[in-house]
Amino acid sequence: MRHTKLFLAAVLLGAPLTFSQDTVIRGGTVLTVTGGTLSPGEVLIRDGKIAEVGTSVTVPDGAEVIDATGMFVMPGIVDAHSHIAAESINEGSVAVSSMTGTGDVVDPYDVNIYRELAGGVTTSNILHGSANPIGGLNVVIKHRWGADAAGLVLEGAPPGIKFALGENPKRSRGMPAGVERRYPATRMGVQDVIRQAFIEAEAYRQEFADYEAAQARGERVLPPRRDMKLEPLVEVLEGTRLVHAHCYRQDEILQLLRVAEEFGVRIATLQHVLEGYKVANEIAAHGAGASTFSDWWAYKVEAYDAIPHNAALMTERGILVSINSDSAEEARHLNQEAAKTVKWGGMSEEEALKMITINPAIQLGIGDRIGSLEAGKDADLAIFDRHPLSTYAVNQMTFVDGEMLFSRERDQAMRETMAAERAELEEKLSEADAERGPGRRGPREGVRR
Amino acid sequence: MTRVGRNAFGIALALSSVCAVAAGQEEESWIIQNARIHTLAEGAEPIESGSILIRDGRIVEIGEDVTAPAGAAVIDAAGMDVYPGMMDSVSQLGLTEIGAISATVDTVELGEMNPHLRAATAIHPSSEHLPVARANGITHAVVAPGRLGGFGGGGAGISGQASIVHLDGWTVEEMDINASAGMVLTWPTLSTRSFNLATFSMDRRSFREAKEEYDRQVAELGEVLDAARRYAAAGEAGARERDIRLAALGPVVGGEMPLLILAQGEREIRGAVEFTKEQGVKMILLGGSEAWKVKELLVEHGIPVILGPTQRLPGEEDEAYDQPFTTPGELHDAGVTVAFATFGSSNSRLLPYEAGHAVGYGLPQEAAIRAITVVPAQLFGLAEDFGTLEEGKVANLIVVNGDPLEIRTEVEHVFVNGVPVSLDNRHQSLYERYRARPHPER
C-alpha cells in the first residue's frame, strides 16, 4: 500500500521512475500481432523494454509477477489521428500554416490522455486541424500520464505535417459574420495552394544550395533569411518529414498524389480517406498508407460514399491501413472499431488488431520500436479481460515504457480517496460561506475577474 | 455461406415476398427451422432447436415441433440464433440524410412550442440510412424531432411528436406503427455558459440570470399544459375554436401520451421529474447522462430512462473515466427501467454495441438485449405486438450467427413486418462494385 502511494505520488509529480524491478506477465493469452498468438504466453519486461516474449520466459529473482490468467495481452494501441493534449489545433487564418505546430502547445493535463490510456491507447499522433490545405506540424506522444509536456513527446519519432483537402480547407460551410473569406474556396484552389507551396519550397531549398555552394567555393556570402513556413516543406521535399493528409473524395485523393509525385514526394498517410477504396490501386502504387474511421458516414457530402468495408478493401489491394479515432471518445474503444473490419470486409482477427497497433506504428515511422510484442521493443501493452475484439472486453491494465500507468483496480480504489477529498473541500467551502454570511459567496477581495 | 451468397439469398427472399404481396397471396408464409430461438418471453428459456412459422405479418407458430405447411418458404437456420428485431428507442432515421446539408435535414423546426408537428410527416422512406440500420438488425425505431443533444445546445421546448416506424415499407404509411408515440420535450438547461454561433465562443452569464430564465421557461411549460387542460374541458363543454397546438397536447395532459423529456444534468432531471409529478403527466427520461446521481428518485417515481449513447465521454473532468459505461448497469441494479437509443441516424446500426459496451461494465447481457427489444416495446405501449417472439406477435425478427451484441456477429436474415427484407444497402453495393474493380496489371 505504501509502495502504491509512493508510486502514485511519483506519477503525479511526473518524476522519472527508475524501475530496477523486472515484471513478468504470465498465465494469459499473448497477442503479439506480428508473431502469432501465444496461449498461454508470457512477457518479461525489463528497463522499460520487452526483454522476452514466449510460451515460457525467464522469471528473474525478485521480479513482480502479474497473473493474467484468462486475460489477453496485446501491444498498446496506437492512434494515428488524434487532437487531444493540445491547447489549440487549427491556425486556419492562412492557407499554409506550416510555421506552427501542435508540439508547441502540448497540454499534459488533458484528462483525455488518461481516459484513452484506460482504453489501452499508449501512443497518439497529435495532428494540426484541417482548416487549411497545408496545416501545422504534428507531434507524436506517448500517454505517459503524469509527465510534463516535454516528457510526453515520443523522442525520436519522425517529424510530420498535416495537409488537408476537400470541404474543410475550402471552408464550404461558411464562416461566422465578420470573418473574411480566404483562398482557396474550391478543390482546384486547394491543389494550387499545395503546388505553389512546393514551388516556393524548391526555390528556398535552391537558395540554400546556392549559398552553400558559394561558401564551398570560398566566397563570402550572406546566408539566406530563414523561413519557418518553408523549412518544414523542404523537409517534405527531402523525404524527412511525413505528410499526413486529411482527405475524403477519390478525386481529391488522386489530385494530391499527383501533385506530390510532381515534386518527388511520397505521401506518408492519407487520413480519413473515406473513398480510398475507390482508388485503392492508385494509392497502393503511390505507396501511401491509409488511416481511416471504422464506420462514420453521411455527416457531410464528402462522407456520403463512406463504407465500413473501406479498411478491408484497401488492405486487400495492398495498402497499409490503420483505424484511427480523430476523437477523444472513439479512441477509448479502438479495439471495438478494429473488430468492425472483421464484420465488414472479412478481415482476420490478426489483421484487425494490426490496424490499431503495428500498422499505425509503421505509418508514423516508429514500427521498429512500438506496435507489437517483440523482444527489444518498448514495453507498451494493454491487458484486456476478454479478447480485445469483443464488445464486452474491458481493459484492466496499461503499461507505457514498462510502467503500469493505468490499472482498473487502482483507478477504482482512487475514486474513494477523491470522493473524500472532494467532500472535505465542499465542507470547507460551506464553512467559509457560513462565516461570510448569506449572499456573500464570490471571488475573494482583490481578485480581478 | 459467403457474404455475397447470403445477400443474393436475401434479395431473392425479398423479391419473393414483394411478389407475394403484389399478387395478394395472403397465404404466403415462411418457416425458420433448426434455430436457437431467444423468445425473450417472460420467464422463458431459449428454445435450443426450434421453428418459427410466419404468415400474414405475424408469428403464427413457434416451438420445437412446428410442421412446415405446403408452400412455405424454408429458411434453415441451423447453428444460428433468432432474436426479436432491435428497436432504436430514439433516433432521427429518415429525418436527416447528410448532416452538413440543411436541405436534407428535417429534424428541427423553428419555434419553441410545436406539439402539433409529427416526425412521421417528414420521414423519407428512401433514405439510405434505413437499409443500413436494417442490415444490422434494427427492424423498427422511434423517430423523434428536435435537437437531440446536437451541436449548439439550447433549443428548449416541445419539438413535436415522435413516431414509431418499421424500417421497411413502400411508403411512410406502410411503415407506420404509431405516428404519435410520445411528445418530445427538450428540458431547459440551467447553464451559465452558452455557445454563441456568431462569435464561435462561449458566452457567460450569472447564475441568477440563468436561473431566472430557467424558471421562466419551466413556468411557461406549465402554462401551456394548463391551457391544454382548459382547451380539453372547453371541448367537452362543446365550445371552442380550433387550436391544433393545444389539441395535440390533449393526450399528454390526459395521461395517454408520455412526455419524452430530454434532460442530462442532475438538476435538470430533478426539475423535470418534479414538473411531471405536479402536472400529473407520464414521463420517459431521454439522455440522462447524470441519471446515475438520481437513481432513487427515478425508482420512486417509476420513471424509465432511454439512455443516450453509452460510448461518450464523462461529463466532468473529475468524473470516473467509465461513468458512461457503468451508468446502465448502475441504473439496472437500482431497479430503474433502462432502454438504449442512438439518438442518431447514420449510426443507428450501432445500437447493439451501445448496449453491449455496458455489459463489460456490469449490465447483465440479457438485460442489455431486453433493453433494445422488449423494454422499448413496453415503454411505448407496443408489448402486445412487439418485443418478444411469441405467437400472434408481429414478425420483426433477426437471424444471426451468434450474440447480436458482439461486433463480429453477422446478421443473416431480417424480417420486418412479417416479410424478409433485403440486406443490401448503399454500403454493401458500393463495396461490391469497387471490390470488382480490376486489379492493375502486375
Side-chain angles (χ1 to χ4, degrees), chain B residues 387-403:
Chain B
T388 62
L389 301 178
E390 294 177 273
E391 282 168 19
K393 290 211 175 182
V394 174
N396 276 21
L397 56 85
I398 58 174
V399 182
V400 290
N401 68 355
D403 179 348

Side-chain angles (χ1 to χ4, degrees), chain A residues 115 278 281-282 295 297-299 304-305 316-317 329 332 336 343 349 390-392 408 415 422, chain B residues 3 97 99-100 136 311 318 321-322 325 346 349 357 403 405-406 408-409 426 435 437-438:
Chain A
R115 289 171 176 161
K278 295 184 179 178
N281 295 347
E282 290 77 5
D295 60 1
W297 70 291
Y299 45 95
Y304 200 42
D305 273 8
E316 282 176 11
R317 302 261 162 165
E329 198 290 309
R332 280 148 43 93
Q336 291 184 25
K343 181 188 183 76
E349 292 184 346
S390 166
T391 321
Y392 306 145
R408 183 157 167 77
R415 292 175 200 185
R422 190 186 174 121
Chain B
R3 178 172 287 275
E97 196 66 21
N136 207 29
Q311 296 181 333
D318 62 351
Y321 81 93
D322 60 354
F325 309 154
S346 63
R349 67 173 154 195
H357 199 114
D403 179 348
L405 304 187
E406 280 283 15
R408 287 166 294 174
T409 298
R426 180 179 189 84
R435 200 175 191 224
R437 187 183 170 202

Side-chain angles (χ1 to χ4, degrees), chain B residues 2-340:
Chain B
T2 66
R3 178 172 287 275
V4 173
R6 193 193 70 229
N7 279 306
F9 184 49
I11 292 161
L13 275 175
L15 288 175
S16 71
S17 75
V18 168
C19 294
V21 172
Q25 293 169 12
E26 299 269 311
E27 69 280 11
E28 184 86 24
S29 57
W30 290 268
I31 186 163
I32 302 166
Q33 294 179 326
N34 307 318
R36 189 184 301 113
I37 302 169
H38 304 258
T39 67
L40 305 193
E42 201 60 46
E45 290 293 312
I47 300 166
E48 282 307 317
S49 180
S51 302
I52 305 175
L53 179 62
I54 298 158
R55 189 188 298 132
D56 294 336
R58 302 257 169 185
I59 296 170
V60 292
E61 233 184 315
I62 183 166
E64 288 176 351
D65 299 302
V66 179
T67 314
V74 176
I75 295 170
D76 182 9
M80 297 186 205
D81 294 76
V82 183
Y83 286 88
M86 293 183 270
M87 174 171 174
D88 194 345
S89 298
V90 178
S91 79
Q92 299 205 308
L93 283 161
L95 296 183
T96 174
E97 196 66 21
I98 298 176
I101 305 298
S102 60
T104 71
V105 180
D106 287 291
T107 51
V108 183
E109 188 47 88
L110 299 177
E112 293 172 0
M113 200 53 64
N114 291 315
H116 54 308
L117 304 185
R118 288 201 306 192
T121 314
I123 293 174
H124 187 210
S126 303
S127 166
E128 300 281 4
H129 297 219
L130 272 51
V132 165
R134 210 164 63 199
N136 207 29
I138 320 296
T139 54
H140 48 299
V142 178
V143 181
R147 190 180 282 109
L148 306 179
F151 185 67
I158 294 179
S159 52
Q161 299 166 38
S163 306
I164 307 179
V165 291
H166 290 288
L167 295 194
D168 191 36
W170 293 104
T171 67
V172 73
E173 289 171 357
E174 283 190 15
M175 293 162 66
D176 177 62
I177 293 174
N178 181 0
S180 298
M183 189 65 72
V184 182
L185 165 58
T186 301
W187 194 253
T189 309
L190 217 175
S191 174
T192 54
R193 290 152 55 93
S194 62
F195 190 75
N196 186 332
L197 265 173
T199 60
F200 241 67
S201 61
M202 300 300 288
D203 286 347
R204 287 168 192 277
R205 56 183 175 169
S206 73
F207 181 79
R208 206 183 63 189
E209 281 175 284
K211 182 76 165 69
E212 277 171 8
E213 193 193 348
Y214 173 85
D215 288 342
R216 180 183 57 74
Q217 288 174 313
V218 174
E220 278 173 12
L221 285 168
E223 282 162 22
V224 170
L225 294 192
D226 287 343
R229 274 190 204 91
R230 290 196 297 273
Y231 182 80
E236 280 166 28
R240 66 177 177 191
E241 280 178 32
R242 194 167 171 208
D243 183 324
I244 56 174
R245 276 191 169 81
L246 294 179
L249 287 167
V252 173
V253 293
E256 299 128 45
M257 183 191 283
L259 273 180
L260 310 178
I261 304 187
L262 180 71
Q264 305 289 359
E266 175 182 358
R267 202 153 40 191
E268 285 76 15
I269 297 171
R270 286 188 185 279
V273 171
E274 193 184 326
F275 175 82
T276 50
K277 289 304 137 186
E278 275 175 20
Q279 291 286 338
V281 295
K282 283 203 282 189
M283 165 176 174
I284 298 176
L285 174 62
L286 310 189
S289 300
E290 291 188 350
W292 58 280
K293 292 184 178 174
V294 291
K295 294 189 278 270
E296 294 77 16
L297 181 78
L298 297 172
V299 172
E300 182 192 336
H301 295 288
I303 293 169
V305 186
I306 297 175
L307 285 168
T310 314
Q311 296 181 333
R312 60 186 165 75
L313 287 172
E316 302 290 336
E317 201 170 42
D318 62 351
E319 206 171 283
Y321 81 93
D322 60 354
Q323 185 61 54
F325 309 154
T326 58
T327 293
E330 287 177 41
L331 293 177
H332 175 263
D333 288 349
V336 180
T337 302
V338 172
F340 289 97

Side-chain angles (χ1 to χ4, degrees), chain A residues 141-408:
Chain A
I141 64 162
K142 278 215 191 181
H143 289 236
R144 294 172 181 136
W145 182 237
D148 61 14
L152 288 178
V153 176
L154 176 47
E155 56 289 346
I161 186 170
K162 178 75 170 283
F163 280 23
L165 315 175
E167 292 182 24
N168 290 13
K170 78 192 185 84
R171 299 194 154 185
S172 49
R173 263 176 284 180
M175 296 305 287
V179 176
E180 272 185 54
R181 295 210 70 184
R182 185 212 69 202
Y183 185 87
T186 66
R187 285 180 170 81
M188 298 180 286
V190 170
Q191 189 190 38
D192 172 58
V193 167
I194 294 171
R195 180 177 281 119
Q196 293 289 354
F198 277 145
I199 290 169
E200 277 184 61
E202 277 188 332
Y204 179 67
R205 178 171 63 178
Q206 192 56 51
E207 271 186 66
F208 271 88
D210 292 348
Y211 163 69
E212 280 160 19
Q215 264 197 325
R217 289 193 299 271
E219 293 170 26
R220 294 186 62 188
V221 284
L222 283 173
R225 182 192 171 99
R226 281 184 75 188
D227 186 325
M228 302 314 285
K229 181 181 88 172
L230 295 177
E231 270 187 20
L233 297 178
V234 169
E235 290 165 358
V236 169
L237 292 174
E238 300 283 317
T240 54
R241 182 174 286 279
L242 307 176
V243 176
H244 304 294
H246 159 121
C247 55
Y248 280 75
R249 248 168 49 180
Q250 61 153 306
D251 49 312
E252 69 197 24
I253 295 168
L254 282 188
Q255 137 193 325
L256 176 71
L257 298 184
R258 298 308 172 233
V259 79
E261 285 161 5
E262 195 178 310
F263 293 87
V265 170
R266 187 181 68 80
I267 302 297
T269 70
L270 295 163
Q271 296 283 335
H272 313 324
V273 61
L274 296 187
E275 289 190 13
Y277 68 94
K278 295 184 179 178
V279 285
N281 295 347
E282 290 77 5
I283 296 171
H286 176 89
S291 188
T292 186
F293 302 132
S294 59
D295 60 1
W296 293 353
W297 70 291
Y299 45 95
K300 46 183 173 175
V301 175
E302 62 189 8
Y304 200 42
D305 273 8
I307 63 175
H309 316 75
N310 188 34
L313 258 181
M314 291 193 292
T315 301
E316 282 176 11
R317 302 261 162 165
I319 300 167
L320 188 77
V321 178
S322 64
I323 299 283
N324 69 48
S325 78
D326 194 14
S327 143
E329 198 290 309
E330 192 90 342
R332 280 148 43 93
H333 42 84
L334 275 171
N335 54 312
Q336 291 184 25
E337 304 316 306
K340 289 171 182 170
T341 68
V342 179
K343 181 188 183 76
W344 285 295
M347 291 286 96
S348 71
E349 292 184 346
E350 189 166 277
E351 281 171 321
L353 287 175
K354 281 182 175 177
M355 291 193 202
I356 53 169
T357 54
I358 188 67
N359 291 4
I362 294 170
Q363 289 175 346
L364 298 177
I366 45 182
D368 55 347
R369 189 169 155 189
I370 62 166
S372 63
L373 299 181
E374 293 176 66
K377 283 199 163 179
D378 291 1
D380 296 351
L381 44 92
I383 306 180
F384 284 81
D385 61 351
R386 288 168 181 261
H387 193 287
L389 297 181
S390 166
T391 321
Y392 306 145
V394 177
N395 181 39
Q396 303 295 317
M397 293 173 216
T398 311
F399 290 76
V400 180
D401 299 326
E403 294 176 31
M404 190 204 288
L405 293 187
F406 169 78
S407 143
R408 183 157 167 77

